[in-house]
Amino acid sequence: MILQATVMKYIPTNAYFYIDNETKHGFLIDPGAQADKLLAMIRDKGFVIERILLTHGHFDHIGAVEKIRQALSIPVCMQANGRAYAENPVWNLSAQTGTPITLPEVTYLPDYSTISLDASPACDLTLIPVPGHTTDGAMYYTEKDGVAFVGDSIFQGSYGRTDMYGGDEATLLQNIREKILTLPDETILLSGHSAPTTVRDEKDCPFYRS
């Protein structure tokens, strides 16, 4: 089961629950704001969240992390380059909001790590690096379900900004071509700020023609 929850403090962001139907255990991806809303959803639906997974370290994707981590006593995981964002409110852009965010307890994962549910090891996601929007940009891919949680790397008909700390447009476009658009055409791409799209549809965008 995949459930989207749009949360907002400064800008709307898509948080996602990736849940095993049988056990109701799962992962929470990019809880960017409104911790109380997300915790109420977890409680009301009987979910057991085993880990928080982050696609990158910008403030609008990490704003509710610490409150949820403490409430549920669960690990927070992100790509290995995420330390620069988790520990630095300037890099994660929260400093400009007047409410600086740091994440004190993070597990930094190597590229292509497989993250499995303890309650259902066959339910897993693979961390695939997609730098360019940030240096720590990553997507979480499930071949079994044909879904990739892509963060702000690619949107429906567009791609993420590259004019912030650690951003690089050429790097992002190369990674989109090589890491995302090489997935099966029917793969559903779930992003941080747009409606769902597919690899097939995004291949038609002129941005990605080399």
Side-chain angles (χ1 to χ4, degrees), residues 178-197:
E178 295 179 357
K179 308 280 183 60
I180 297 177
L181 299 185
T182 54
L183 296 174
D185 279 356
E186 63 274 14
T187 303
I188 298 170
L189 306 178
L190 299 177
S191 80
H193 303 285
S194 80
T197 186

Side-chain angles (χ1 to χ4, degrees), residues 150-178:
V150 294
D152 290 0
S153 295
I154 189 170
F155 303 124
Q156 183 184 49
S158 66
Y159 57 92
R161 291 175 58 176
T162 58
D163 58 342
M164 297 172 285
Y165 298 99
D168 183 88
E169 185 176 49
T171 297
L172 178 57
L173 291 175
Q174 179 181 355
N175 276 285
I176 289 172
R177 293 187 195 104
E178 295 179 357

